[in-house]
Amino acid sequence: MKFFIDTADIAEIEELAETGLVDGVTTNPSLVAKTGRKFTEVVADICKVVDGPVSAEVTATDAPTMIKEGRKLAEIAENVTVKVPLTPDGLKACRALRGDGTMVNVTLCFSSAQALLAAKAGASFISPFVGRLDDIAFDGLQLIEDIVDIYNNYDTIETEVLVASARSPLHVVQSAQMGAHVVTLPPKVLHQMYNHPLTDKGLAAFLEDWAKTGQTILDD
Ligand code: G3P
């Protein structure tokens, strides 16, 4: 499973990139707005830190302008993945940008029907929003399972399921169990995945017993 980081904060990205666990980054207009910085400069900075796909979302809603915006974003760096919303115009733009050889992440997916359309439009990634479905008492993970099952029926579908709006380590684990290709993680969720009280307790006990030996490895 590939781990993308869901943020536009370059400091967070730099810190997490040092873990060696980061395969890409996703941003969206809300995350970019939070930085208070110029969009194209944020994207360029992220692409310098992370070699993998970096999603940058168009903000137009008509296909011709989406395509123009997408082509401008794609010029920033070769690992830019243009994000388009799952609308008729978004999928027209997806097909055109894929024709250019540009990676496209189709976002704001909330149904299997939408995911089928995105695959037919040649999307590189489909982003079903698990957390936002859970937020309104729909089963977000069930959508992930349904999309993975549908895509697996067809060898011709190369679209990768990119689990978005992840709210917890359980969303990550269960998406992995279902065979999702990618999850985009808020930094908080990645940090949470490390934690287990028995790990902390066990390490403390190891170090306490080691201290009693009076030894140090490097001075041995
Ligand atoms: O960036 C796409 C998606 O991960 C955002 O999810 O629901 O946390 O805003 P959300």
Side-chain angles (χ1 to χ4, degrees), residues 31-110:
L31 292 171
V32 171
K34 279 173 67 177
T35 69
R37 297 183 58 204
K38 188 177 177 188
F39 180 27
T40 52
E41 289 177 5
V42 169
V43 175
D45 286 350
I46 296 172
C47 290
K48 289 171 189 165
V49 175
V50 175
D51 295 334
V54 175
S55 289
E57 190 162 341
V58 299
T59 55
T61 54
D62 65 290
T65 313
M66 285 169 152
I67 294 165
K68 286 177 186 169
E69 290 181 347
R71 285 171 175 162
K72 179 173 181 177
L73 293 171
E75 287 174 357
I76 295 171
E78 63 178 15
N79 56 323
V80 165
T81 301
V82 177
K83 231 183 185 183
V84 298
L86 214 152
T87 62
D89 280 80
L91 295 191
K92 287 177 188 172
C94 175
R95 183 161 290 287
L97 292 165
R98 291 293 296 126
D100 295 347
T102 299
M103 288 185 286
V104 176
N105 177 1
V106 176
T107 191
L108 289 168
C109 172
F110 295 95

Side-chain angles (χ1 to χ4, degrees), residues 141 167-175 177 189:
L141 286 168
R167 296 274 199 275
S168 71
L170 263 185
H171 276 164
V172 182
V173 169
Q174 290 174 306
S175 295
Q177 287 170 328
V189 173

Side-chain angles (χ1 to χ4, degrees), residues 6 26-28 31 83 107 129 131-132 135 164-167 184 186:
D6 198 34
T26 55
T27 71
N28 62 44
L31 292 171
K83 231 183 185 183
T107 191
F129 280 32
R132 293 194 190 185
D135 291 345
S165 191
R167 296 274 199 275
T184 191

